Amino acid sequence: MAATATAADGLDGQLIGFALPSIIQEWGITHSAFAPAVATDLLGRAIGSAGAGLFADRFGCRMATIGSVFLFGIATCAIGFAPDVATISILRFVAGLGLGGSLPGSTTMPAEFTPARLRTLAVTATIVCYPLGGLFAGLFASAVLPMYGWRGLFWIGGLVPVAY
């Protein structure tokens, strides 16, 4: 389950990059107009990483990871309804909180529950799922974008972690 959360994190983090060309074309704006969305995403990740540790200490890694995955899933779905870059920036910040928060918990859980002789393997296998999620994002985007557009990419891409 931790590996799946890590893969969903990797997938969600890459969706904006695949959607940008379609958004830019539809809205008739420049690449530089998306600088705030990128910056707020990274700020959200930084705050989410720090805050998730505090949350996990109080409520447990499992709940911190579940809450984080649900948060970035909902925020990603909402991006599909965004009317402008400012809204996407706010929603990417919120998604960033979840994205930043899910990785520490999902890598800590295997370390806590795996026997010592397999711990390194379990943690490594979980961390490797982050780039695998990014790889899956490319395959996912190539299938979804032509049929459902950038909004569908975020709706479907956000529903995956929410369902999880």
Side-chain angles (χ1 to χ4, degrees), residues 12 14 25 32 37 42 47-48 50 56 70 83 85 87 90 92 102 130 132:
D12 192 276
Q14 298 301 314
Q25 182 181 12
S32 61
L42 296 173
I47 294 169
F70 187 75
V85 176
T87 305
I90 292 166
R92 284 307 294 175
S102 71
Y130 185 83
L132 289 176

Side-chain angles (χ1 to χ4, degrees), residues 74-103:
I74 290 294
T76 299
C77 284
I79 290 171
F81 296 102
D84 55 33
V85 176
T87 305
I88 290 177
S89 297
I90 292 166
L91 291 170
R92 284 307 294 175
F93 173 77
V94 174
L97 292 172
L99 291 165
S102 71
L103 198 54

Side-chain angles (χ1 to χ4, degrees), residues 32 114 130 136 142-143 145:
S32 61
T114 305
Y130 185 83
F136 182 69
S142 69
L145 273 172

